[in-house]
Amino acid sequence: MKTPVHRFDEIDLSRGLFLVLVTWVHVFFFVGGKSLGEIYWAGPTPSIISLPNYILWVIGEQLAPTGFFLLMGMSFAFLSSRRTAQLGRWGGKEHFIYLAKRGLAIIILGFLISPVWLIGPNQVLFAPGYSGGHSIYILLGIFFQLGLCMIIGGAIHPRIANVALWLAMGAIVLCIYFITPGTHDAHALFNPILIAVFIPGQSTFVKSTFTAIPWMPFVILGILIGKSYLRDRN
């Protein structure tokens, strides 16, 4: 007999709210014909057109994605706890395979729907970097990066010691600090792998407006919060 699956309604509601906020802000690309403002390492911060505009930008472009990735990490901790209760064992291999399959499905879905951005305003595809004269790009958008975060997160089993998780989070933050280029590199030709997973921008035939690795500290922090949440409930 299977153990009933327990859902955390407050977590599901928060995750849905963050998704609605992010989606709503990005609808401006298609409905309003312009963005509320994007921040890239090679560009200025968005101009504050109005206070409501700035509040929407902070919520939709900064707070909502941060909250979503925190909840993603918490969900990884909940998944491990729930599957252990159901199956009696949920090791690193099972954890990785489960999340890697889901992450790969999200990546495939992203490639199927990414051409929809081509019907939006041109600035939606803008990103710093060297274009190399290419007019056709492999666009690695939010779905690709979400799927990649799930695959990477699958390799981080929640039962790993908290100290190791804190060290991993700190190591990624240091990498972000030392690897993120300066504005003087706005037209540099970066390795496509860096563009795909680390530095938002474009390089030859690869273009990304969102990258996974800089968000992984929030995923790991979410795992730590999830473990603490479960420990307090128990």
Side-chain angles (χ1 to χ4, degrees):
M1 182 177 179
K2 291 185 177 180
T3 304
V5 175
H6 175 69
R7 303 290 303 188
F8 297 96
D9 293 337
E10 61 273 26
I11 301 298
D12 291 337
L13 179 62
S14 299
R15 183 163 43 220
L17 177 62
F18 288 140
L19 283 175
V20 168
L21 288 172
V22 172
T23 303
W24 180 56
V25 168
H26 283 78
V27 163
F28 276 77
F29 282 131
F30 300 97
V31 177
K34 64 178 182 179
S35 167
L36 289 177
E38 299 279 357
I39 283 185
Y40 287 106
W41 51 267
T45 57
S47 58
I48 302 176
I49 301 173
S50 65
L51 182 59
N53 176 279
Y54 180 71
I55 293 173
L56 288 175
W57 173 77
V58 170
I59 294 174
E61 295 280 357
Q62 306 300 314
L63 297 182
T66 300
F68 181 84
F69 282 102
L70 283 172
L71 291 176
M72 176 185 283
M74 292 177 69
S75 298
F76 293 166
F78 298 157
L79 169 68
S80 176
S81 175
R82 185 171 64 246
R83 288 306 175 103
T84 300
Q86 289 177 323
L87 305 175
R89 181 183 182 276
W90 186 252
K93 179 181 178 181
E94 292 84 359
H95 190 75
F96 175 75
I97 292 175
Y98 181 88
L99 290 177
K101 286 180 178 179
R102 291 200 165 195
L104 185 59
I106 292 174
I107 289 174
I108 294 173
L109 177 62
F111 279 123
L112 292 177
I113 70 172
S114 61
V116 72
W117 290 105
L118 298 178
I119 68 175
N122 290 332
Q123 61 263 41
V124 82
L125 293 178
F126 167 77
Y130 175 78
S131 65
H134 289 259
S135 59
I136 299 176
Y137 296 90
I138 298 175
L139 178 60
L140 305 177
I142 181 67
F143 279 87
F144 175 84
Q145 305 301 343
L146 284 176
L148 186 58
C149 279
M150 292 195 73
I151 294 173
I152 298 173
I156 306 172
H157 196 282
R159 285 206 296 268
I160 293 175
N162 287 356
V163 172
L165 293 175
W166 282 109
L167 288 174
M169 185 166 56
I172 296 174
V173 171
L174 286 176
C175 287
I176 294 171
Y177 178 80
F178 287 108
I179 296 179
T180 301
T183 55
H184 58 281
D185 293 317
H187 299 287
L189 181 61
F190 291 105
N191 187 301
I193 296 177
L194 280 178
I195 293 295
V197 302
F198 203 96
I199 304 174
Q202 60 189 39
S203 183
T204 60
F205 59 91
V206 175
K207 178 178 291 189
S208 66
T209 56
F210 187 96
T211 51
I213 299 299
W215 290 101
M216 284 308 300
F218 294 103
V219 175
I220 297 174
L221 181 59
I223 294 174
L224 289 163
I225 294 173
K227 292 173 67 174
S228 176
Y229 183 86
L230 290 170
R231 186 171 57 251
D232 290 343
R233 284 179 66 96
N234 296 331

